[in-house]
């Protein structure tokens, strides 16, 4: 998909002005976060599991080449084939070559963020092959020609009425007056529409929640079962995954699974968890004739030696999005590309460059909630600060911000000057605040006061109080 990340500020204003989106995001605030908290409380060893999962992924990053080569050997032994792709274009061409070789006309897909990252749907359509999304949320946004707005809930920005309207416009062979005011009715209609595609598709494309080096398997977790129909019914199964999805053993995969669903949807385990280990063997009742794994780098390998290496531990659970005050205010489309929320604000500049995504590292309050709920304990606030430092060095921040920061640094590095400037300012603001003790308008703070009041300072500055306390402690 084409990126609009450079227009983040405009995208965010549009999102804030949309009452429909704001109503949808309001439901998010109590849904996923509450269920995650309850799921964690039901499992006494949840924090220990987070540590264990983090250690597994960290070990993998230390030995990524070893485990990727082991995975390839196992896939080959199982009768499959691994395709190494440096970038999105190589991945798209590889998938198209496979589809053309087998004469594919229709391709079913289960939800895959890497598929969104390489824009495989658009590429297949441009080359005469019809891709059909089979995850309900992905199917809805495919009909609307929209990108996903959330990693695990791609259509969360839509109301029930908007989905019903989309179905009426797209499913024109059905009676227009049919009732579509209940979720079950929408689900039944989508299921009936997708069933023939499941049965006639030539190729099935899935993502991978994990790749297991020990067995050469890919792991799929869903709640709808569409991924199982996507990889078992067509003649060819193509897995598309990025290189950091590898884990060493089956036991390691089960450890990660125990924190994945709890962090994502608050479930102890997803409804369907599938392990695919190659094409159908003699005697198997079902399965594909061919099994391909498209391994995508797309700039991830170069992150290994940078301060952004920790983002490669991400398992795409979406917990950081669900708890981020910025994401909950503007939604996923404001970020302008495939990923969103705190993990997107770190990953998008790494994949697209700071020239495209310079606003995103500033789309955070740095409250730290994202890190506190991340099952992999990824230090997202630290990496967001690192991006801000890099943007400042590259002079990609605005001139006013650079001058303001330079002035602040000059004053903050001189404690005596700092105290002389801030103490009278604090007292003046305190005296001018009036009975409400808040300001609706202040010079140079229009960005703050446009949407909320500025609280009046109360009492003395921290430095003054510290000095007074220090004098009290040193009195004989």
């Amino acid at each position: 998909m084409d990126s609009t990340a450079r227009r983040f500020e405009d995208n965010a204003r549009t999102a804030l002005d949309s009452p429909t989106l704001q109503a949808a995001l309001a439901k998010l605030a109590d849904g996923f976060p509450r269920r995650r908290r309850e799921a964690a409380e039901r499992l006494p060893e949840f924090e220990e599991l987070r540590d264990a999962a983090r250690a597994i992924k960290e070990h993998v990053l230390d030995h990524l080449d070893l485990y990727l080569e082991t995975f390839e050997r196992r896939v080959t032994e199982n009768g499959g084939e691994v395709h190494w792709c440096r970038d999105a274009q190589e991945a798209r061409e590889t998938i198209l070559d496979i589809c053309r070789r087998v004469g594919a006309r229709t391709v079913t897909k289960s939800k895959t963020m890497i598929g969104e990252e390489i824009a495989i749907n658009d590429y297949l359509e441009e080359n005469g092959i019809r891709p059909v999304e089979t995850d309900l949320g992905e199917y809805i946004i495919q009909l609307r020609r929209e990108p996903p707005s959330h990693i695990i809930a791609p259509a969360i920005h839509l109301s029930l009425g908007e989905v019903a309207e989309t179905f009426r416009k797209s499913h024109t062979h059905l009676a227009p007056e049919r009732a579509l005011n209940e979720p079950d009715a929408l689900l039944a209609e989508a299921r009936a529409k997708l069933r023939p595609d499941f049965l006639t598709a030539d190729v099935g494309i899935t993502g991978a929640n994990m790749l297991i080096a020990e067995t050469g398997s890919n792991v799929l977790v869903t709640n709808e079962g569409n991924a199982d129909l996507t990889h078992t019914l067509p003649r060819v199964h193509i897995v598309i995954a990025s290189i950091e999805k590898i884990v060493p053993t089956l036991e390691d995969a089960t450890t990660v699974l125990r924190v994945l669903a709890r962090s994502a949807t608050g479930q102890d385990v997803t409804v369907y968890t599938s392990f695919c280990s190659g094409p159908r063997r003699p005697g198997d009742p079902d399965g594909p004739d061919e099994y391909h794994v498209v391994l995508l780098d797309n700039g991830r390998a170069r992150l290994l030696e940078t301060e952004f290496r920790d983002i490669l531990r991400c398992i795409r659970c979406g917990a950081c999005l669900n708890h981020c005050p910025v994401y909950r205010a503007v939604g996923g489309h404001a970020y302008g590309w495939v990923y969103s929320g705190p993990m997107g604000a770190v990953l998008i500049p790494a994949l697209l460059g700071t020239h495209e995504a310079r606003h995103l590292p500033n789309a955070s309050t740095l409250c730290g909630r994202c890190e506190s709920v991340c099952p992999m304990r990824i230090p997202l606030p630290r990496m967001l600060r690192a991006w801000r430092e890099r943007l400042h060095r590259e002079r990609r921040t605005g001139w006013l911000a650079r001058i303001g920061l330079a002035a602040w640094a000059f004053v903050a590095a001189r404690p005596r000057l700092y105290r002389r400037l801030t103490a009278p300012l604090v007292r003046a603001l305190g005296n001018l605040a009036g009975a409400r003790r808040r300001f609706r308008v202040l010079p140079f703070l229009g960005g703050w006061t446009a949407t909320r009041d500025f609280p009046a300072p109360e009492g003395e500055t921290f430095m003054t109080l510290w000095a007074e306390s220090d004098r009290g402690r040193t009195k004989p």
Side-chain angles (χ1 to χ4, degrees):
M1 60 175 285
D2 294 331
S3 168
T4 64
R6 66 178 61 192
R7 301 201 299 271
F8 172 80
E9 293 178 330
D10 293 335
N11 295 343
R13 290 190 188 95
T14 301
L16 290 170
D17 290 338
S18 169
T20 305
L21 175 63
Q22 293 303 312
L25 292 173
K27 297 177 183 175
L28 175 68
D30 182 56
F32 289 141
R34 175 178 53 79
R35 290 199 287 271
R36 177 206 174 271
R37 184 182 66 251
E38 293 171 352
E41 290 172 351
R42 289 195 300 269
L43 187 68
E45 67 269 31
F46 184 68
E47 295 303 320
E48 288 77 8
L49 279 173
R50 290 176 66 191
D51 291 333
R54 178 191 185 282
I56 290 168
K57 295 293 283 186
E58 194 61 27
H59 172 77
V60 165
L61 296 181
D62 287 339
H63 307 86
L64 188 58
D65 54 344
L66 169 69
Y67 288 116
L68 286 172
E69 290 172 1
T70 303
F71 174 77
E72 181 184 29
R73 284 197 298 273
R74 294 292 178 268
V75 171
T76 304
E77 291 169 1
N78 295 339
E81 184 177 358
V82 172
H83 307 265
W84 301 85
C85 298
R86 286 169 295 190
D87 55 31
Q89 185 59 29
E90 282 192 5
R92 287 191 292 261
E93 291 173 356
T94 299
I95 294 169
L96 180 62
D97 287 345
I98 296 170
C99 291
R100 280 178 168 166
R101 181 176 54 75
V102 300
R105 300 175 63 85
T106 300
V107 170
T108 48
K109 280 183 69 239
S110 66
K111 188 158 69 64
T112 155
M113 296 307 293
I114 296 301
E116 299 287 347
E117 184 177 321
I118 67 174
I120 189 60
N121 281 5
D122 294 341
Y123 194 71
L124 291 176
E125 283 182 334
E126 291 167 4
N127 287 278
I129 297 173
R130 185 171 70 98
V132 180
E133 295 286 354
T134 61
D135 172 271
L136 179 59
E138 290 282 346
Y139 176 67
I140 293 168
I141 63 172
Q142 185 184 28
L143 293 178
R144 296 172 62 90
R145 312 295 293 184
E146 292 178 348
S149 62
H150 192 285
I151 291 177
I152 63 170
I156 199 170
H157 58 289
L158 298 173
S159 67
L160 188 67
E162 288 174 317
V163 177
E165 181 184 355
T166 301
F167 277 21
R168 291 188 198 283
K169 288 182 179 177
S170 303
H171 303 160
T172 54
H173 61 292
L174 299 175
E177 66 276 8
R178 66 192 185 281
L180 288 176
N181 51 1
E182 294 292 336
D184 286 349
L186 295 168
L187 179 61
E189 183 165 313
R191 181 178 291 146
K193 184 69 174 62
L194 290 172
R195 187 170 294 123
D197 292 321
F198 278 125
L199 296 173
T200 58
D202 308 290
V203 172
I205 297 178
T206 71
N209 292 92
M210 281 177 281
L211 304 171
I212 304 174
E214 178 185 50
T215 61
S217 309
N218 72 289
V219 183
L220 295 168
V221 297
T222 71
N223 283 316
E224 300 175 17
N226 61 301
D228 298 88
L229 295 175
T230 299
H231 76 77
T232 55
L233 294 179
R235 292 181 289 122
V236 179
H237 177 198
I238 301 175
V239 181
I240 46 179
S242 48
I243 56 176
E244 81 279 12
K245 287 297 183 72
I246 203 85
V247 295
T249 67
L250 192 59
E251 184 175 353
D252 292 329
T254 60
T255 299
V256 176
L257 284 172
R258 295 188 71 192
V259 296
L260 174 58
R262 290 179 169 90
S263 301
T265 58
Q267 296 168 281
D268 294 339
V269 66
T270 49
V271 177
Y272 299 91
T273 302
S274 306
F275 298 79
C276 312
S277 303
R280 176 167 47 185
R281 300 164 299 186
D284 284 348
D286 53 29
D289 296 330
E290 296 183 21
Y291 177 77
H292 301 269
V293 180
V294 176
L295 273 178
L296 178 69
D297 180 351
N298 211 23
R300 288 168 172 81
R302 67 170 179 259
L303 292 180
L304 285 170
E305 301 302 324
T306 72
E307 63 267 50
F308 306 109
R309 162 192 164 111
D310 292 334
I311 194 62
L312 298 177
R313 295 204 305 268
C314 179
I315 55 174
R316 308 291 190 269
C317 68
C320 64
L321 281 66
N322 301 335
H323 292 78
C324 175
V326 175
Y327 178 89
R328 282 159 41 170
V330 301
H333 288 167
Y335 292 79
W337 202 50
V338 176
Y339 305 104
S340 57
M343 61 78 58
V346 171
L347 189 58
I348 294 175
L351 298 183
L352 299 185
T354 53
H355 64 286
E356 178 63 30
R358 67 185 178 91
H359 294 299
L360 299 189
N362 293 308
S364 170
T365 64
L366 299 181
C367 66
R369 189 74 174 127
C370 51
E371 182 176 357
S372 69
V373 299
C374 173
M376 293 292 157
R377 302 192 189 280
I378 298 174
L380 291 159
R382 178 186 64 72
M383 289 188 286
L384 289 168
R385 286 193 294 271
W387 274 124
R388 294 180 184 185
E389 292 171 6
R390 182 175 292 196
L391 288 165
H392 186 74
R393 289 197 302 273
E394 295 176 353
R395 303 180 70 81
R396 294 191 184 280
T397 51
W399 65 269
L400 185 60
R402 291 200 304 274
I403 292 175
L405 191 58
W408 172 261
F410 180 85
V411 174
R414 293 163 176 79
R416 186 172 297 177
L417 177 61
Y418 181 92
R419 288 194 294 273
R420 287 181 177 178
L421 290 177
T422 56
L425 179 62
V426 167
R427 282 194 292 272
L429 288 174
N431 293 332
L432 292 172
R436 292 183 67 248
R437 310 305 299 161
R438 310 181 75 80
F439 294 93
R440 290 179 178 171
V441 179
L442 275 175
F444 308 112
L445 292 178
W448 177 287
T449 56
T451 55
R452 54 199 182 281
D453 292 345
F454 187 87
E458 299 290 346
E460 298 293 339
T461 65
F462 172 79
M463 295 297 291
T464 301
L465 294 173
W466 179 265
E468 291 176 354
S469 173
D470 194 46
R471 283 196 295 272
R473 285 197 301 270
T474 56
K475 282 182 179 178

